Amino acid sequence: WSEVIDKTIKLAEEYAWTLSIMGCGERSGELWIEKTRMTALHIGDEAIIVVKDFALDGPQMKNVREMINKTKRLGYEIEAKRVTELSDEERNILRAKSIEWRYGQKERGFSMALDRFMNAIDDQEIYVLARKAGELMAFMTFSPWAKNGASLDRMLRSKDADTGVNELIITGAVEYARLNKIERISLNFAAFRSIFEEAERISAGPILRLKRNILRFASKWVQVETLYRFNSKFQPEWNPRYLIYPGPSKLIEITNTQLLSPCLNIQFKMFCPGEFCFEQGSSQIESQKTPSKTLILRYNTIKELYEDIGMSRIYAGVEWEQTNQISQELGQWVYNKVRSRFETVFGIKSPYI
């Protein structure tokens, strides 16, 4: 940890970045504070199932047992396997369903999800599938975590799937973990869990309950309470997570950055060219059709990127010379604006040019 932290601090100083660490654990958080004198803010907890301790017995697991028994009576079956064990037919079905089950909505994922699906580099992913009468109704994927753990990556289901299918899949994942020497399963991150838990106590004061009500209101748009309630069903261990930040004066700036991260991620990639993966059928205009197969584009500089943007009409099948020229000029203009803005804000030459 220490060497990585030192390199990160040096990089932030070189580019005059405001440094903050989101989702930091106890051990690494102590090191960050020791080296930077920054401040820690408890922002939530990660739900972790300890496989050897997990059991469906007892009154606290009554709801989970009922959901599992219900789905089994309806004919649901669970199958868990590594991604390398999936057949070509299964892969095609999963890719199609991952798009179909978004029902026209943009994929938002959640804080612990990867930004790719069925990528060749993720050859240790675990897929847990739920079928009803042979038809795929839901699935979850789990990524390797440390040496003996798995972390929930993606959870998708058909709108026709019955309630309880998520509980069935997670218990199926636990059984797979037992057979494959996986000791811990991380479900997901529950933001501000302690507020919900403490607000339920009879000693909770009005300020604490007001915070809880504000979070409930926010849950209409962002899953806050829902994730906490779902996670708590499985009686997990709660691993605290922190935001490490320089001080109160920077907190609003950092919060805005996190809230706007889907937009800022696009801008950040423009400064850091590399590999861009477009999954099969991921087009918002022709979903399930374009691109016809997964497309990976690689760039070493921003200049390469803007030149390719200018050629995008050819990729789309519109091969008129005049429009291609206009697109390339637009790409050049965007490139110049981004570079100029970067150098004005930071007072240094833009990297990756």
Side-chain angles (χ1 to χ4, degrees), residues 75-83 85-87 89-91 93-95 97 101 117-118 125-132 134-142 154 156-157 165-166 168-173 176:
Y76 279 85
E77 295 180 344
I78 292 295
E79 183 180 18
K81 56 176 69 176
R82 299 275 183 182
V83 64
E85 299 170 340
L86 294 170
S87 66
E89 181 182 2
E90 287 175 321
R91 289 170 181 266
I93 291 173
L94 287 166
R95 287 192 183 100
K97 293 299 184 184
W101 289 344
F117 177 62
M118 210 172 283
E125 286 269 303
I126 300 167
Y127 282 67
V128 187
L129 318 177
R131 296 188 177 94
K132 182 181 180 182
E135 181 183 356
L136 184 67
M137 300 300 291
F139 70 91
M140 294 185 191
T141 65
F142 295 82
R154 179 179 301 240
L156 288 168
R157 53 181 285 178
V165 68
N166 285 336
L168 183 66
I169 291 176
I170 288 176
T171 53
Y176 179 89

Side-chain angles (χ1 to χ4, degrees), residues 159-218:
K159 63 182 180 182
D160 298 321
D162 296 276
T163 56
V165 68
N166 285 336
E167 288 85 345
L168 183 66
I169 291 176
I170 288 176
T171 53
V174 173
E175 291 307 311
Y176 179 89
R178 282 201 177 102
L179 296 174
N180 290 272
K181 299 181 180 180
I182 297 172
E183 298 178 4
R184 298 179 297 166
I185 297 177
S186 172
L187 293 183
N188 43 47
F189 172 74
F192 306 109
R193 177 197 69 87
S194 59
I195 292 178
F196 290 108
E197 187 175 81
E198 294 171 9
E200 294 173 355
R201 298 173 181 169
I202 58 174
S203 59
I207 295 178
L208 183 58
R209 289 179 179 174
L210 175 62
K211 291 180 182 177
R212 188 265 316 272
N213 292 338
I214 292 172
L215 290 173
R216 278 184 173 170
F217 179 74

Side-chain angles (χ1 to χ4, degrees), residues 289-346:
K289 293 182 181 180
T290 304
S292 59
K293 61 181 181 180
T294 299
L295 177 66
I296 298 177
L297 302 177
R298 295 180 177 88
Y299 307 99
N300 295 317
T301 67
I302 293 179
K303 188 173 182 180
E304 287 183 18
L305 177 59
Y306 90 73
E307 286 177 347
D308 222 18
I309 290 172
M311 299 292 285
S312 63
R313 287 180 177 268
I314 289 181
Y315 291 148
V318 182
E319 301 182 11
W320 299 99
E321 183 177 351
Q322 184 178 4
T323 54
N324 289 334
Q325 183 179 350
I326 292 171
S327 295
Q328 287 182 323
E329 290 174 357
L330 179 60
Q332 176 73 64
W333 181 85
V334 171
Y335 162 68
N336 289 336
K337 287 290 184 182
V338 170
R339 182 179 62 179
S340 175
R341 179 62 176 163
F342 183 94
E343 293 176 355
T344 299
V345 171
F346 293 103

